[in-house]
Amino acid sequence: MSTTELPASHAELMDGVYRWQRHIYDLTRKYYLLGRDRLIDGLDVPPGGTVLELGCGTGRNIVLAARRYPGARFFGLDISAEMLETAGAAIAREGLSGKVDLARGDATDFDTKALFGVERFDRVFVSYSLSMIPGWEKTVSAALAALAPGGSLHVVDFGQQEGLPRWFRALLRGWLRKFHVEPRASLRDVLESESQRAGATFRFRTLYRGYAWLAIIKTAI
């Protein structure tokens, strides 16, 4: 597992938030981090492909994706050493240590060549992490820069709950703030703008009446 220079305040914040939460994270989050499995199913990783997850957390998604695409190689990046400890244990427990590499790093500014020895990836995905990352727009740019020609970026995160009752939105936002999570109102606009800048195609879906947003940016070959 590799390390890089990290923004200390955010790294320490995430370690503090998840030092104990990581032990029950997957059990509790399965009820409201909706759309993650749909993202994994839609990765459509080519045989022998490479996949990078930014903000891999406990390793839940990368383990499922590695099972779903057994011929691919997976890489996970997270700023929290606490989460990476849990992810590493999960990956070892599943017998996937030989096909999944983890590194500690900042998702807004990373060097995958230095961290993993891999410069470009066939797929990059970000699941419910942009809503926690300061300067998250830089993560979108960095993710696109890490794609190989013909590769795709897959994003799922909280939407604006536009089709849900106002009282539900208020309760959800209050709960999320306890974990330093903020749904990004401009997420769709930023993803679409970045896809245009990169000359890529852009697909966007609202899930569960706007509870979650799912997007795919595919670069040209």
Side-chain angles (χ1 to χ4, degrees):
M1 188 177 297
S2 304
T3 58
T4 58
E5 292 298 321
L6 304 174
S9 59
H10 188 57
E12 290 170 1
L13 173 63
M14 291 298 96
D15 278 343
V17 168
Y18 292 116
R19 181 162 289 115
W20 305 114
Q21 279 285 319
R22 64 192 172 98
H23 299 295
I24 59 170
Y25 186 92
D26 291 332
L27 179 64
T28 57
R29 267 57 173 187
K30 69 179 181 179
Y31 298 109
Y32 66 90
L33 298 187
L34 308 178
R36 295 180 296 172
D37 293 347
R38 187 174 299 195
L39 178 150
I40 292 169
D41 288 341
L43 288 175
D44 192 24
V45 184
T50 52
V51 183
L52 171 66
E53 181 180 12
L54 299 175
C56 64
T58 63
R60 181 263 187 195
N61 295 325
I62 212 165
V63 164
L64 290 180
R67 289 182 191 155
R68 176 75 171 76
Y69 306 100
R73 185 73 189 275
F74 290 84
F75 304 86
L77 183 77
D78 204 280
I79 202 168
S80 169
E82 299 286 344
M83 283 297 220
L84 286 171
E85 182 180 337
T86 297
I91 289 162
R93 189 166 56 247
E94 295 293 327
L96 296 170
S97 298
K99 63 181 302 181
V100 180
D101 291 333
L102 302 176
R104 191 177 184 211
D106 178 6
T108 67
D109 183 17
F110 54 88
D111 181 351
T112 56
K113 183 69 172 176
L115 292 170
F116 302 118
V118 179
E119 196 166 0
R120 295 287 184 268
F121 301 83
D122 298 297
R123 302 289 184 267
V124 177
F125 71 96
V126 193
S127 171
Y128 285 96
S129 292
L130 295 179
S131 51
M132 299 190 68
I133 298 173
W136 61 274
E137 298 91 342
K138 295 179 181 178
T139 298
V140 176
S141 299
L144 288 173
L147 284 175
S152 54
L153 167 64
H154 302 247
V155 175
V156 67
D157 214 314
F158 292 104
Q160 291 297 293
Q161 300 84 48
E162 55 270 27
L164 295 167
R166 184 174 298 178
W167 63 264
F168 181 88
R169 295 199 301 268
L171 284 176
L172 178 64
R173 297 299 180 90
W175 170 254
L176 294 177
R177 280 194 293 271
K178 296 178 183 293
F179 302 98
H180 305 276
V181 176
E182 179 185 352
R184 307 303 188 185
S186 61
L187 178 61
R188 179 173 186 168
D189 292 339
V190 169
L191 291 173
E192 188 166 18
S193 175
E194 287 294 311
S195 70
Q196 291 173 353
R197 183 185 62 79
T201 61
F202 177 66
R203 287 190 289 156
F204 182 88
R205 293 188 64 181
T206 61
L207 306 177
Y208 315 110
R209 297 170 64 187
Y211 180 92
W213 288 346
L214 177 65
I216 301 173
I217 298 175
K218 184 173 179 60
T219 62
I221 297 175

